[in-house]
Amino acid sequence: MRFEIWSKGVATLEVDCLVVGVFEEGELTAHARSVDEAAGGRLKKLLSRGDFSGRAAETLLVGDLPGLAASRVLLTGLGTRKAFGRKPWRKAWAAAVGALAKTGIASAAAALERPDTEALDDYYYGRAVAEIASTGLYRVNDLKTGKKPRPAALRRVLAGPAAKGSTQALERGLAHGAAIAEAAKVQRDLANLPGNVCTPRHLAEQARALARGHRSLSVRVLDEQAIKREKMGCLLAVAQGSSEPPRLVVLQHKGAKAGAPPVVLVGKGVTFDSGGISIKPSAEMDEMKYDMSGAAAVIAALSLVAQLRAPLNVIGIVAAVENMPDGKAVKPGDIVTSASGQSVEILNTDAEGRLILCDALHYARRFKPAALVDLATLTGACVIALGHHHSGVLGNDEALIRELIEAGVRADDRAWQLPLTEEYAEQLKSNFADFANIGGRDGGTITAAAFLGKFTQGMPWAHLDIAGTAWQGGAHKGSTGRPTPLLADFLIRRAGL
Ligand code: BES
Ligand code: MN
Ligand code: ZN
């Protein structure tokens, strides 16, 4: 997809389609009025007949209006003028892209009403135009045989006009938005794959392939032997019930000078989570193929910083295992020793994410991270607490947590903080080991984070629980690509891009 900027009158834009906004009750936006005037009042006539109401996300394609260089106009509902802002604009543009994707339209100009620049400045406007356009054309890497749907024709999208005199910020926004959508696609393609294809070895192979494509990236893959040498007893305990061997992948982007402390990202890569001996109920168990979404987001983030040549050192650590029941599987009551030396009583083998993350987080210590962020579909409790709208964020560094929350707000990929105060760790008490891997039902997201907190002391650390946000069910079942937009904003800011 190519992105450009338009600035002159909409009637003269040479594109296949002009996308213009109409408020509810049929009120034309400024650009829609220009179209209407050039076309001799045809839009007003159409509205007075009651053919278009301007309700949020309603669209109507109108062909061959006179007086326009564009061959078509896509009317797009913006909802009420009173409620108009960034969110309704995003929804309208997404709806417009959805409508365009079903047609043979190859080039389109976004000429909806722009929300005021406080809600969406030139940079974020450009970013959202590009991100939403690219994301709207995403198709699942499905394994259906037979006739494939026709790929969308849309190849060229124009955003405009720049609010400020210069188009620089808008251009930068378009470039970043396209890159973020591409990264989100990396995450979604990996997460949508079934567990029998996307194994720990597959994740490692994909990380290797990514590193081959970028000079700033290097990769190191630890196989089972190397993981044993690191004494990662918790990670190995989860992996031991599966015939798929585990992998620990370390992806490194060198964008700054060698000594500069890196941002370290750690991803949960459980390629299938059956629960192990503490087996899950069978309803919707297929969704546990997405339990590697954190790992996929880490790979996506590394692809983004490499693509943008971010002047920042970033290290991605992917802990990849499959969690299965078996004669050799770890059992409730088993006690294992983590790489940090702390012993853990595994009371529930379905609380496996924290077991692989604790060893990966300990591994991160050697890099002396400037910031350590882990991403994990860690707890069902997080879905209960926050639903599907916010990721959970917890940690030991308030400034880092705030930075992530604010990145989420700007990227429209939000996170909400839960309190990680010291009392919660008491729930992890064990009579037999340093602590247990579960802390009871109450505050399940927080006790999971408290477990991780035992391994991150002295490092500036934040944890994102993406159990409710990384994928969705229903008609559009699949990976959402979250929290890649949040992470992207965080990294772009850190890099000063
Ligand atoms: N991968 C799951 C978390 C999960 C559950 C994500 C549902 C999305 C939807 C995780 O490994 C898990 O099983 N967690 C347990 C922890 C419990 C045993 C303490 C859970 O949330 O039930
Ligand atoms: Mn589990
Ligand atoms: Zn899991």
Side-chain angles (χ1 to χ4, degrees):
M1 183 103 75
R2 230 168 64 227
F3 294 100
E4 293 164 28
I5 292 173
W6 69 265
S7 50
K8 51 180 185 160
V10 284
T12 63
L13 290 179
E14 287 173 12
V15 286
D16 292 348
C17 189
L18 288 176
V19 180
V20 298
V22 178
F23 287 112
E24 212 164 302
E25 321 286 298
E27 182 197 341
L28 297 181
T29 57
H31 297 314
R33 256 196 324 275
S34 306
V35 168
D36 185 56
E37 277 156 25
R42 294 274 288 272
L43 286 191
K44 279 200 180 127
K45 196 163 166 193
L46 191 148
L47 293 175
S48 68
R49 283 175 177 157
D51 292 348
F52 191 78
S53 74
R55 266 195 312 275
E58 184 184 359
T59 60
L60 180 68
L61 189 63
V62 187
D64 302 312
L65 289 177
L68 300 179
S71 56
R72 314 163 181 85
V73 170
L74 183 71
L75 298 181
T76 305
L78 300 178
T80 63
R81 182 185 274 285
K82 222 176 104 216
F84 188 62
R86 199 180 78 235
K87 282 262 164 72
W89 175 86
R90 284 183 74 96
K91 193 171 166 190
W93 176 233
V97 171
L100 293 170
K102 293 191 191 111
T103 69
I105 289 166
S107 61
L112 295 163
E113 183 93 339
R114 263 188 68 167
D116 61 32
T117 49
E118 244 161 79
L120 204 64
D121 65 17
D122 274 0
Y123 169 71
Y124 280 99
Y125 170 63
R127 212 165 98 172
V129 167
E131 193 184 324
I132 292 168
S134 304
T135 305
L137 302 191
Y138 177 80
R139 293 292 171 270
V140 171
N141 49 2
D142 68 55
L143 300 172
K144 287 178 188 167
T145 58
K147 219 170 130 211
K148 296 270 174 195
R150 181 175 60 142
L154 192 62
R155 272 181 283 114
R156 188 172 154 243
V157 169
L158 285 71
K164 306 211 184 89
S166 147
T167 59
Q168 232 177 24
L170 186 50
E171 257 159 49
R172 197 164 56 91
L174 287 169
H176 288 183
I180 293 167
E182 217 168 288
K185 177 174 155 49
V186 168
Q187 182 191 344
R188 294 170 86 181
D189 281 348
L190 282 171
N192 282 329
L193 286 174
N196 63 330
V197 175
C198 185
T199 59
R201 283 177 295 173
H202 181 83
L203 279 179
E205 223 15 81
Q206 292 308 300
R208 272 195 212 283
L210 178 69
R212 276 196 293 273
H214 296 274
R215 286 191 52 192
S216 72
L217 291 182
S218 57
V219 66
R220 185 165 167 232
V221 176
L222 279 67
D223 64 9
E224 198 165 357
Q225 282 314 310
I227 293 171
K228 278 188 181 143
R229 280 196 296 274
E230 294 291 336
K231 300 192 164 59
M232 297 186 170
C234 288
L235 189 154
L236 289 164
V238 177
Q240 76 191 41
S242 169
S243 49
E244 290 293 339
R247 291 288 184 266
L248 190 91
V249 184
V250 185
L251 249 179
Q252 193 152 4
H253 165 75
K254 280 212 181 74
K257 59 178 194 296
V263 170
V264 180
L265 306 173
V266 175
K268 171 179 175 183
V270 177
T271 58
F272 185 74
D273 180 13
S274 69
I277 297 297
S278 314
I279 198 161
K280 288 181 180 295
S282 38
E284 289 163 11
M285 204 205 269
D286 67 290
E287 293 189 351
M288 285 301 126
K289 74 173 187 179
Y290 299 112
D291 211 19
M292 36 57 72
S293 294
V298 168
I299 295 172
L302 269 289
S303 82
L304 179 86
V305 290
Q307 182 73 39
L308 294 179
R309 298 174 201 277
L312 184 73
N313 290 335
V314 184
I315 295 173
I317 302 175
V318 165
V321 300
E322 187 182 59
N323 186 22
M324 294 291 275
D326 178 82
K328 291 202 285 274
V330 72
K331 307 172 292 297
D334 285 1
I335 295 178
V336 294
T337 304
S338 67
S340 75
Q342 301 178 95
S343 63
V344 178
E345 184 183 17
I346 300 179
L347 288 177
N348 189 318
T349 66
D350 197 12
E352 85 297 341
R354 62 198 78 180
L355 293 173
I356 66 170
L357 289 171
C358 74
D359 282 341
L361 287 165
H362 178 76
Y363 191 85
R365 196 175 285 277
R366 72 192 60 197
F367 300 116
K368 300 190 170 52
L372 173 61
V373 181
D374 79 78
L375 317 155
T377 48
L378 203 62
T379 63
C382 193
V383 192
I384 304 297
L386 299 177
H388 301 283
H389 305 295
H390 286 82
S391 301
V393 58
L394 311 94
N396 62 13
D397 187 304
E398 289 302 316
L400 176 59
I401 290 167
R402 223 170 311 117
E403 197 179 341
L404 290 166
I405 290 172
E406 283 164 13
V409 168
R410 287 188 299 265
D412 280 304
D413 179 9
R414 286 192 291 176
W416 200 266
Q417 185 178 9
L418 297 174
L420 183 53
T421 46
E422 56 293 342
E423 310 87 292
Y424 292 93
E426 287 164 24
Q427 286 175 235
L428 299 169
K429 277 213 175 100
S430 159
N431 273 358
F432 304 103
D434 291 344
F435 36 84
N437 77 327
I438 53 168
R441 273 167 52 88
D442 303 343
T445 301
I446 307 176
T447 53
F451 181 92
L452 300 179
K454 304 240 181 221
F455 299 84
T456 55
Q457 280 165 17
M459 298 188 276
W461 160 72
H463 156 66
L464 280 172
D465 193 327
I466 57 172
T469 51
W471 79 86
Q472 59 194 7
H476 299 287
K477 183 169 178 172
S479 169
T480 58
R482 292 178 68 184
T484 287
L486 179 159
L487 271 185
D489 196 278
F490 168 72
L491 293 166
I492 284 170
R493 288 240 166 182
R494 282 249 167 177
L497 283 171

